[in-house]
Amino acid sequence: MNRETAESGRIVDGVDSVSKTIMPLGSGDEHLLDHDSVHSSIPEELLELEELDVLYQKDSQTLWTYMRPEGRPSFTRTMLSDFEAWQRLIAKGFGPDKVPLKYLVLGSRAPGVFCFGGDLELFAKLITTRDRDGLVRYGHRCCEILHNNINTLDIPMLTIGLVEGAALGGGFEALLSFDYVIAERDATFGLPEIMFGLFPGMGAHALLSRKLGSAMADRLIVSNKTYSAEEMYDLGLVHHLAEKGEGLSVCREFIKKSDRRHAGLVNARRAMKVSWDLELDELNRITELWADAALQVTERDLKVMQRLVTAQRKLAEAA
């Protein structure tokens, strides 16, 4: 393959048989590309999403996806639209009697950041204009994506969150919906919403209370503390630790070791989720409480929110 460097990062001039475009890759990603007939069954649109890089690896039957935000590394409405399309197209093109899929991995291209979570700039605008419906619509979209991921799109696969940086707010919540979380040791986790008069409204209460119990869930939610990957490992929320720069290698090794027992792991996870009895309606009702709380934040809270937006924007621009 002919390699060249572009402003968006390293790219590989290997034209995929479906997308017919150059696919942007991160360092060490060349091994993920396949160039054979299996691609003819993959929906073309899946490889053309605006803020998600999607790569299929045939030998391990793994779909690797990396968030590639154009601005702040948050769940903007553009990013949510990509995730909705991503899930729809995976459900359409993969699974039994389609393109085989055993593992679905989500990571991030944003340097030092997995995801900062909800779109605080949007929240501030909706709060200022007293647009409860807009807040609820945003929250419901997040909840549906989360719920679909929990149920692995009805495909017998394992989902893996690969964390190489900060996972805060909704970024942390999103990881709770994955079957396994692999984190580099310098990764950080936290739910900072309480610092501006809110609480995490898209899954944290429902999932943390089921995973850790309500008392420990409450401690994480209201502490406004940043937790290390090792602390998350001790709680059982991170399943495997990697040294800095080794997250991808540890993820690949986990996939390799899990392959022989894949069916057992898939069904063990399914059994766990049966015991959770977590329906989309529960997530949506909590989000509606979150929207009501958002309309009660003070001017001081909004200023804190705006300072965080500014900090996120500067980080994105520096990267």
Side-chain angles (χ1 to χ4, degrees):
M1 293 183 182
N2 297 320
R3 295 177 178 82
E4 60 180 313
T5 302
E7 282 187 4
S8 60
R10 223 153 123 263
I11 61 176
V12 175
D13 191 8
V15 182
D16 177 83
S17 60
V18 171
S19 68
K20 305 299 183 187
T21 61
I22 297 172
M23 297 174 63
L25 301 175
S27 178
D29 284 347
E30 295 90 343
H31 69 283
L32 300 179
L33 280 177
D34 293 310
H35 302 283
D36 52 34
S37 60
V38 71
H39 280 303
S40 64
S41 301
I42 297 176
E44 182 176 353
E45 308 98 299
L46 187 62
L47 306 179
E48 298 176 345
L49 298 172
E50 289 184 43
E51 297 191 14
L52 295 177
D53 289 341
V54 182
L55 310 164
Y56 180 74
Q57 186 178 20
K58 182 183 177 183
D59 60 350
S60 64
Q61 299 180 17
T62 301
L63 197 69
W64 301 81
T65 302
Y66 289 91
M67 293 179 282
R68 181 173 43 84
E70 293 183 359
R72 291 174 294 109
S74 300
F75 291 134
T76 62
R77 284 184 284 195
T78 303
M79 181 72 79
L80 291 187
S81 294
D82 268 12
F83 271 117
E84 288 165 340
W86 180 71
Q87 290 188 332
R88 174 177 55 81
L89 293 165
I90 292 171
K92 174 184 177 182
F94 293 84
D97 302 320
K98 302 176 186 177
V99 178
L101 185 59
K102 287 185 173 181
Y103 305 94
L104 180 64
V105 183
L106 179 66
S108 174
R109 298 284 195 218
V113 181
F114 176 77
C115 184
F116 284 142
D119 187 346
L120 297 183
E121 186 170 35
L122 174 63
F123 296 169
K125 290 178 180 177
L126 295 174
I127 291 167
T128 301
T129 57
R130 314 301 294 170
D131 187 354
R132 182 183 185 276
D133 289 343
L135 291 164
V136 169
R137 280 195 302 273
Y138 178 96
H140 282 182
R141 291 178 71 187
C142 292
C143 289
E144 185 167 7
I145 293 168
L146 187 88
H147 193 257
N148 287 339
N149 198 53
I150 291 170
N151 291 293
T152 67
L153 305 174
D154 293 324
I155 297 172
M157 64 179 175
L158 296 173
T159 59
I160 304 168
L162 175 58
V163 190
E164 301 168 290
L168 303 177
F172 184 12
E173 287 182 289
L175 288 168
L176 296 172
S177 71
F178 284 81
D179 294 322
Y180 293 94
V181 175
I182 295 170
E184 295 188 353
R185 287 186 182 274
D186 65 337
T188 55
F189 303 78
L191 298 167
E193 289 86 349
I194 199 71
M195 71 184 292
F196 45 83
L198 271 173
F199 63 88
M202 291 90 182
H205 283 86
L207 287 165
L208 285 174
S209 63
R210 285 166 168 82
K211 291 171 180 276
L212 302 178
S214 59
M216 183 59 73
D218 186 66
R219 182 179 299 179
L220 266 64
I221 287 166
V222 303
S223 69
N224 188 28
K225 178 183 174 182
T226 298
Y227 294 87
S228 68
E230 193 150 348
E231 287 175 306
M232 291 292 100
Y233 178 81
D234 290 341
L235 287 173
L237 298 178
V238 165
H239 302 87
H240 296 279
L241 292 170
E243 300 303 322
K244 182 175 175 59
E246 296 297 320
L248 177 59
S249 296
V250 171
C251 189
R252 292 173 64 193
E253 186 64 22
F254 170 75
I255 289 170
K256 182 179 179 180
K257 289 182 176 180
S258 299
D259 205 52
R260 187 174 57 84
R261 52 190 186 138
H262 181 267
L265 294 174
V266 166
N267 286 292
R269 288 295 172 180
R270 283 180 167 175
M272 180 68 71
K273 293 162 191 175
V274 168
S275 72
W276 288 356
D277 192 28
L278 177 54
E279 299 293 339
L280 179 58
D281 180 65
E282 178 182 337
L283 295 171
N284 283 339
R285 284 188 286 117
I286 292 172
T287 282
E288 289 156 18
L289 290 173
W290 167 84
D292 291 334
L295 296 180
Q296 299 175 47
V297 302
T298 66
E299 285 297 322
R300 180 179 179 182
D301 295 327
L302 285 171
K303 289 179 181 178
V304 173
M305 203 178 293
Q306 190 56 55
R307 285 200 296 272
L308 289 173
V309 169
T310 300
Q312 292 175 4
R313 185 178 293 116
K314 288 181 178 178
L315 187 149
E317 289 170 355

